[in-house]
Amino acid sequence: MAEREAHAKRQGFDIAAFCAVERPADHPAKPADYRSLHGFWNAHGYQRHGELATTFAWRDIGEQAESHKPMVFWLKPLG
């Protein structure tokens, strides 16, 4: 992540961003030992911005066709 952020800074960007899929707590493919990555991303300076959302479509394992998945953006100032 540090190299990605350094590259963004070299390109003149002030903010690093990514979006992550939002799965329901009862998602059928959720492993029994699942741990959210929210703490990891927070520890690296990223903050979840639920007001910044989109959807991406792909076919999950077990799906017959693509379906839209909700995605939420995480931002980090690079100052």
Side-chain angles (χ1 to χ4, degrees):
M1 291 183 79
E3 180 54 36
R4 178 178 165 262
E5 293 163 11
H7 177 74
K9 285 176 81 170
R10 288 191 301 270
Q11 300 302 310
F13 292 100
D14 297 326
I15 297 173
F18 68 89
C19 59
V21 67
E22 296 273 308
R23 302 272 192 192
D26 63 349
H27 190 277
K30 181 178 172 182
D33 60 350
Y34 171 79
R35 283 185 27 191
S36 169
L37 292 174
H38 289 191
F40 174 81
W41 294 327
N42 285 142
H44 281 85
Y46 287 85
Q47 294 295 312
R48 184 181 177 279
H49 286 265
E51 74 279 12
L52 301 175
T54 190
T55 62
F56 290 147
W58 66 84
R59 188 174 63 85
D60 264 342
I61 295 172
E63 286 186 328
Q64 296 297 327
E66 288 185 350
S67 62
H68 288 271
K69 298 358 178 239
M71 308 287 288
V72 172
F73 284 84
W74 290 71
L75 307 177
K76 176 183 179 176
L78 296 176

